Amino acid sequence: MRSNFQKRSKKIGLSPGSLIHVGSRYTEKSKITLIRYDETFFTEKEISHIAEFRDEKDKQGIIWLNIDGLQDIKLFEEVGQLFGLHPLVLEDIISTDQRPKMEDYGDYIYLVLRNFHGKENEDLLSDQVSIILGKGFILSFQEKEIDLFDSIKDKISKNKGRIRKEGADYLAHAIIDNIVDNYFIVLENLEEKIEYLEDDLVKKTTPATLETIHILKRELIGLRKSLWPLREAISSLERSDSPLINKSTVVYFKDIYDHTIAIIDTVETFRDMLSGMLDIYLSTISNRLNEVMKVLTIIATIFMPLTFLAGVYGMNFKYMPELEYRWSYFCVLAIMLVVALLMLRYFKKKKWL
Amino acid sequence: MRSNFQKRSKKIGLSPGSLIHVGSRYTEKSKITLIRYDETFFTEKEISHIAEFRDEKDKQGIIWLNIDGLQDIKLFEEVGQLFGLHPLVLEDIISTDQRPKMEDYGDYIYLVLRNFHGKENEDLLSDQVSIILGKGFILSFQEKEIDLFDSIKDKISKNKGRIRKEGADYLAHAIIDNIVDNYFIVLENLEEKIEYLEDDLVKKTTPATLETIHILKRELIGLRKSLWPLREAISSLERSDSPLINKSTVVYFKDIYDHTIAIIDTVETFRDMLSGMLDIYLSTISNRLNEVMKVLTIIATIFMPLTFLAGVYGMNFKYMPELEYRWSYFCVLAIMLVVALLMLRYFKKKKWL
Amino acid sequence: MRSNFQKRSKKIGLSPGSLIHVGSRYTEKSKITLIRYDETFFTEKEISHIAEFRDEKDKQGIIWLNIDGLQDIKLFEEVGQLFGLHPLVLEDIISTDQRPKMEDYGDYIYLVLRNFHGKENEDLLSDQVSIILGKGFILSFQEKEIDLFDSIKDKISKNKGRIRKEGADYLAHAIIDNIVDNYFIVLENLEEKIEYLEDDLVKKTTPATLETIHILKRELIGLRKSLWPLREAISSLERSDSPLINKSTVVYFKDIYDHTIAIIDTVETFRDMLSGMLDIYLSTISNRLNEVMKVLTIIATIFMPLTFLAGVYGMNFKYMPELEYRWSYFCVLAIMLVVALLMLRYFKKKKWL
Amino acid sequence: MRSNFQKRSKKIGLSPGSLIHVGSRYTEKSKITLIRYDETFFTEKEISHIAEFRDEKDKQGIIWLNIDGLQDIKLFEEVGQLFGLHPLVLEDIISTDQRPKMEDYGDYIYLVLRNFHGKENEDLLSDQVSIILGKGFILSFQEKEIDLFDSIKDKISKNKGRIRKEGADYLAHAIIDNIVDNYFIVLENLEEKIEYLEDDLVKKTTPATLETIHILKRELIGLRKSLWPLREAISSLERSDSPLINKSTVVYFKDIYDHTIAIIDTVETFRDMLSGMLDIYLSTISNRLNEVMKVLTIIATIFMPLTFLAGVYGMNFKYMPELEYRWSYFCVLAIMLVVALLMLRYFKKKKWL
Amino acid sequence: MRSNFQKRSKKIGLSPGSLIHVGSRYTEKSKITLIRYDETFFTEKEISHIAEFRDEKDKQGIIWLNIDGLQDIKLFEEVGQLFGLHPLVLEDIISTDQRPKMEDYGDYIYLVLRNFHGKENEDLLSDQVSIILGKGFILSFQEKEIDLFDSIKDKISKNKGRIRKEGADYLAHAIIDNIVDNYFIVLENLEEKIEYLEDDLVKKTTPATLETIHILKRELIGLRKSLWPLREAISSLERSDSPLINKSTVVYFKDIYDHTIAIIDTVETFRDMLSGMLDIYLSTISNRLNEVMKVLTIIATIFMPLTFLAGVYGMNFKYMPELEYRWSYFCVLAIMLVVALLMLRYFKKKKWL
């Protein structure tokens, strides 16, 4: 997450709108998938060149053009021309370090989102997903081919739910909903890790515990960084008066908005929990120091006076009357025992034992 | 509270508005209660199937339909059709992980609230309560049958107060008021726990004290998480210009709003108190360490020089003139006493004793 | 302050507007004082029953009806009827756990304030004062009879300042001004306590210091809790366009508003000071631990090598050539002295001495 | 700074607008200076009684009446009558505990500012300066005569810059600009102190360092307390649509506003720096404790085993074969050396040495 | 960064708009570069005196006049006259302690920015860059000649991108874009330093680590201080309705705005990371103390009882029966071994070993 902005420096000095891919090079060749559907039909095909699409453009139905892989600059220039996209939009699509945002260009709405994925026990990764919502068409762009859109394609092809009956804006909603739902999975994984950490905190705290707390904290910061602009973007969509968004669809965007708020709430709760765990970790260290010091003090306090006493009767003075008495040794041993017992009683009173 | 969002992942990939119950399965069968009243009459009956209600719909009086148990998807589909509810509203009603909110759908107002209950010495629990305020009717939905609404039913049946004279909006107010009042009970329990904790802090601090502080802190975070959106929802109700809410009722919503603010104030005060207690706990640990160290230092500082002195005269050199003198031993003992007394005086001056 | 909200639970389940006194029972019988004045006359009398007032209502002059003691529910019902007050207003007047607020009911303005008093060296106490500003009359309600209003009565009776020339709104201003001025006295007492604490912090820090810091902090939190809504209430008065408030009086409310801001500023400054004192307290503890440890280390570092040396020559081996030499003993004593002096020099270099 | 609000209590119970001087009594007699100028002439004279001014009032040119010393209540009453000032304005002028503010009374604008002065190595002091901007005249009021306005008088008398060509609003701007510039001097002094402190922190940290940090922190809090309302007041001036302020002057107020923001920025930076220094101070204490403990541990860990060994061969058992051997003593000495060297190597590995 | 405001005091007492250079004196002689271009031509020349420019003013094409070096007061007065600039604008241009801001003076827009540069491993430095955007011309002012604008000149001269086809507002955008891009370079350097620091934190923490954390923190505070007003200034540009800014250019300003937000996000993330590292540093110190104390305690706890035992049998009493037995010595040695082993087992159980 930290390294995204670095790639920016590649572009310094170029004109804005210059198309240079900024980001990791996942796949060399972009894969273009064209889906077309309305209430009565559904077709899906992979096309090798955007020129193939030109003839299809004005046919019937809603068009969903998905492009996986953002390296092929020439392809994006052609797409830009074909759909009349602003150069800055194209630049943003292929620069994979965008904050989530929504921009209304009149003829189309441009949306950038961040899709988090991260299997259990893995680091948190995120890809940029761009969506262009135009009149009767959706363009979607991903960094690499993942299975993000499979469930939506499935719903369209099998005519599940309302998706075939609604317009392109509803399709946009379905895509965004999918991405927002992925946050819930990420949160579940995080919760599991936090629970493990809590158990650790009770059983044994090692310096590694502290590091885990900070790694989780950083992941939450990363999530948060994309969540607040996401919330803003979805709120803009919801309150937008663009003719591209049907009034009946607005309530669905509102629903996604509610989910985003719930996610943010959970992230904040996790942050509070981690802060609490940090407090517990730090005071555990203090408590342990206290315990160590108590042991040291008890030992020293018992044995120092005794050793001193033994030392006294180890002195080699000629005239030490006690040395001569028959019961001296046993008296001294008894005194030592009494001193030790008194010390122990003192510690018991102090509740150190 | 932490686990609510988990259940979300069950729904990923489904169309929005798909009715799947998200939450705990309290009761298998939903219980439907129909209350109808106006100034002149009151009837209450349990109905086994929503179809029974169809005939009653257009009769005279205010209708209050309460459903306990949110598992029966089919029932909710029928209710949705009967009252013309939006699929997303139905989805929210049966997904028991909603933040409190108020949504005005024109024909009806949809309210989600969180009812906290938690007997003394028990964990804090909360249920979701949904309310639909329509023209002349109230629908209310609970996760399970609890005695939340008994006092309201009692007031209606016995014609106490103004409730029989007012409309459905006043009934909605009575329900919300009831739920908000429950927060006061929760706060009383919390206050008791905080007072116990304070006593503990003065008498004896154990690592368990820290844990209790964090458990209470987390409960307050949980309360807060539902309080801020609750405040927002009630504020929306109060400032709403919906024809469903009578002008004379607005002042009652304002009253509830004031209560919510008072609750939030108390929660914030509790948080401040807990923070103060955490400070006291941590500095108690530090003080204790100081005390332990002082005991150790006093003992060591007194006995180390003495033991050294004893050691000197325990040496076996042939020519140690002091060893031969008659009063040497007693002189050394006297010197030891003086050294010890000087040390004690030093500690007294340092206020360590 | 913490226990106010508790009493709320007494009212759970009742209709809103039900008159139940919530708060402490200071006096059993309410005392009703009626003041009437205009530029030409002033009368004050105590009335035993509100019915006596009925005849006076429409007479000439500004009416100020003050009621001390909030237990007599019946009285308040009569007052409510007589002046056409909303049931919720009556409920708020006798529930002494209100946040300061201002509500414009059209015919009258309802104000709740909190009057802090607390003699020196005493705990901070506060009473609720309610004011109804109507057309030509002021109603004021206090929990118990205190001397809060004496100075105002004095000003009216002796025709000091402008009060006899102005309307009921100016009288309301005088009452609020009086209450706000009391905050200054509370702040003076707090300042004194903070200064004592500062002296303590320099001379001797005990765990009691920490407790005092937290008690003061809590008192400030209590003050703040009533100050922010007070500020809001006075700001509402100032910006109100109610016909009950004369334009020429607004500037006086603005003056009170400025005082409130000054009080809030001082409270915030006190909070900052207490935080700084907490820091000093905690680092004093750390410094003391450091000092204790230094003493221990110096003693141990000097005497451990010496004791070891003495121990070596206390061994009973047959063949220890040094033991036989004439000057061995004195040499060893000299070596011990040198070691001790070297240690002391080392500590001086380390600045531990 | 802390004691300002105290004096308020003197006024409790008085009518608002009662003129009682609240603040320190710097000078007994107020000094009145009258300056009159326009593009063509400049006169300055000291007048002993405000009545002398009456004749001058309607003469040509811009009038600047400056009064040093706020004790002469009668004088202020006359000034109030002469210029038609509101009693509350007069009250605020002579109560030297006002927050900076701007109030537009229609005929005139009332401004209160706080002028900080404080020579190097001295405590931070501040005086209240009030300015009345009327049509063609400026009244300014200071607690005592200081050289604050000398540079402005100089500029007017020598016709430097644009001041003689502009109106009274420009003169007001010049006065405010002067006061705001003084903050820069205060900040320079503070910066110097902070730099000294930083050097101290590197060389030697004493408990006095902590105290200095807190004194500087408190001075910054004091500055901040007057800076935020100052910013607000100047912003009100800038955005005011009062006919008393010429449009061409507004840009000069905007310039002052920018300076205020820069000052606030610097104060915030200083606060951040002090917080960082507090962190460094506290961790320096911890580091020192660590160092002390290491010395103790090294000494104890080396000498305890050795002393034990010496103790073993100091025992007086009859049958201790080692005691008889010729090389025993030297062997034991060698073993002791080896043990000590092993310990030292361990500490080197642990990086304690 | 800290010393900027100091220079202000030089100007105290001067009329606003007085031209005095405030800042470092980089170059003695200002260098004036005049660039003129439109779609068809491009000329660049250095002019030695602003008078040379007078004849060129009304010729064809967009004019870009760049001045490096801000000491030549006379030059700026001439420039001010020539382009009708407000004296305060001139004052701000040559006072190099401005916060980034945008001011619309109607005929021209004045922009101040801060250009950060700082080679790797160097301190963070920044220069002030002022831009005047007028009708058909751009004036830019820098403290000293740096290569900031080379890439833009290159783009114009080689007719790269759209710059020759667009107006002066697009040129302004290109300059701002360049400056904002430099922040990304600064962030990259900072990131590198943070990564080094992280490695340090894992391997070895020294007090120098703490200092580095604070130096980086201070650099971030410095960046932030200029970033928030920069964001505001660019936002004002974007939302400006000045006729000087073409509608088609607004989207490019929006693009820069997005970059600024991304930079701010990264700075905030860095701050969070540094806070986390401070936590780790502090708890590392605590852990180390714990470890030191454990070693001390283990050593003391093992050897103190043993030394005591040896001491007992070193006593010189006449009647100590054990001393006479043949196997006493070996028994005592065995007991000592057992005690030591028991202690070690206890520490293993406590997990101290």
Side-chain angles (χ1 to χ4, degrees), chain C residues 125-136:
Chain C
L125 297 172
S126 70
D127 283 336
Q128 176 169 316
V129 178
S130 297
I131 298 166
I132 304 278
L133 164 60
K135 204 175 159 64

Side-chain angles (χ1 to χ4, degrees), chain B residues 89-144:
Chain B
V89 168
L90 289 175
E91 195 192 344
D92 282 356
I93 288 173
I94 63 176
S95 309
T96 61
D97 55 351
Q98 304 296 316
R99 301 170 86 232
K101 68 179 169 183
M102 175 269 196
E103 284 175 346
D104 189 344
Y105 281 83
D107 286 342
Y108 55 91
I109 289 171
Y110 171 50
L111 260 166
V112 198
L113 303 170
R114 199 144 275 281
N115 180 41
F116 276 85
H117 42 87
K119 308 280 180 292
E120 241 171 287
N121 298 321
E122 264 175 39
D123 272 359
L124 206 55
L125 297 172
S126 70
D127 283 337
Q128 177 168 314
V129 178
S130 297
I131 299 166
I132 304 278
L133 165 60
K135 206 175 159 64
F137 68 88
I138 290 281
L139 312 183
S140 61
F141 306 88
Q142 298 181 80
E143 289 185 59
K144 62 174 175 189

Side-chain angles (χ1 to χ4, degrees), chain B residues 282-301:
Chain B
L282 291 175
S283 77
T284 304
I285 292 182
S286 292
N287 273 319
R288 209 176 279 175
L289 183 62
N290 256 330
E291 203 193 351
V292 170
M293 291 313 302
K294 270 187 208 164
V295 169
L296 177 62
T297 306
I298 290 170
I299 292 290
T301 312

Side-chain angles (χ1 to χ4, degrees), chain A residues 104 236-237 239-245:
Chain A
D104 190 343
S236 303
L237 266 181
R239 285 176 292 106
S240 162
D241 51 359
S242 165
L244 294 166
I245 297 174

Side-chain angles (χ1 to χ4, degrees), chain C residues 9-65:
Chain C
S9 55
K10 275 207 258 172
K11 289 175 59 178
I12 291 171
L14 291 178
S15 308
S18 307
L19 293 193
I20 285 210
H21 174 67
V22 170
S24 331
R25 303 191 153 261
Y26 283 116
T27 54
E28 276 312 300
K29 180 81 179 78
S30 300
K31 182 182 157 195
I32 312 171
T33 316
L34 174 66
I35 290 170
R36 161 168 308 175
Y37 67 90
D38 67 6
E39 267 194 85
T40 57
F41 78 100
F42 167 85
T43 66
E44 173 177 4
K45 68 174 170 187
E46 202 172 310
I47 58 184
S48 57
H49 199 275
I50 196 69
E52 296 176 37
F53 171 71
R54 248 175 262 269
D55 325 317
E56 306 241 13
K57 207 185 159 185
D58 300 313
K59 286 197 193 158
Q60 178 206 10
I62 291 157
I63 293 165
W64 176 15
L65 194 74

Side-chain angles (χ1 to χ4, degrees), chain D residues 183-323:
Chain D
Y183 281 93
F184 285 107
I185 299 176
V186 168
L187 288 186
E188 276 180 46
N189 290 342
L190 272 175
E191 196 192 25
E192 227 165 277
K193 287 181 192 166
I194 288 175
E195 272 167 11
Y196 277 128
L197 195 64
E198 261 185 331
D199 287 356
D200 264 32
L201 215 56
V202 174
K203 287 186 212 140
K204 55 171 176 5
T205 43
T206 60
T209 315
L210 180 67
E211 213 177 322
T212 315
I213 291 176
H214 275 102
I215 289 169
L216 288 179
K217 248 189 174 170
R218 199 176 291 172
E219 288 193 350
L220 286 176
I221 291 170
L223 271 177
R224 254 181 119 219
K225 220 176 114 181
S226 78
L227 275 168
W228 286 95
L230 175 67
R231 173 174 172 268
E232 218 176 301
I234 293 174
S235 162
S236 303
L237 266 180
E238 183 203 324
R239 284 176 293 107
S240 163
D241 51 359
S242 166
L244 293 166
I245 296 175
N246 222 307
K247 274 198 177 167
S248 66
T249 318
V250 166
V251 72
Y252 290 98
F253 285 125
K254 201 165 161 33
D255 191 47
I256 300 181
Y257 181 77
D258 285 350
H259 294 184
T260 320
I261 298 277
I263 292 166
I264 289 176
D265 264 17
T266 309
V267 166
E268 294 305 318
T269 306
F270 283 0
R271 274 165 58 98
D272 279 334
M273 285 168 68
L274 284 174
S275 292
M277 287 159 82
L278 189 64
D279 281 356
I280 290 179
Y281 172 77
L282 292 175
S283 78
T284 304
I285 293 182
S286 292
N287 272 318
R288 209 176 279 175
L289 183 61
N290 255 331
E291 204 194 351
V292 169
M293 292 311 303
K294 270 186 207 164
V295 169
L296 178 61
T297 306
I298 289 168
I299 292 290
T301 312
I302 289 175
F303 285 102
M304 277 189 166
L306 303 188
T307 306
F308 163 67
L309 225 63
V312 165
Y313 293 106
M315 292 192 294
N316 297 319
F317 290 108
K318 271 252 162 74
Y319 302 94
M320 288 177 70
E322 301 98 312
L323 293 182

Side-chain angles (χ1 to χ4, degrees), chain D residues 155 173 188 191 195 198 251 258-259 261 265 273 283 290 293 297 308 315-316 318-319 322 350, chain E residues 2 6 8-9 13 16 99 101 210 218 285 289 291-293 313-316 323-324 326 329:
Chain D
K155 245 184 268 172
H173 151 262
E188 276 180 46
E191 196 192 25
E195 272 167 11
E198 261 185 331
V251 72
D258 285 350
H259 294 184
I261 298 277
D265 264 17
M273 285 168 68
S283 78
N290 255 331
M293 292 311 303
T297 306
F308 163 67
M315 292 192 294
N316 297 319
K318 271 252 162 74
Y319 302 94
E322 301 98 312
K350 284 264 178 187
Chain E
R2 242 160 57 220
Q6 277 213 1
R8 279 284 170 138
S9 55
R99 300 170 87 231
K101 68 178 169 183
L210 180 67
R218 197 174 292 171
I285 292 181
L289 182 62
E291 204 194 350
V292 170
M293 292 311 302
Y313 293 106
M315 292 192 295
N316 297 320
L323 293 183
E324 312 301 323
R326 179 133 201 111
Y329 174 51

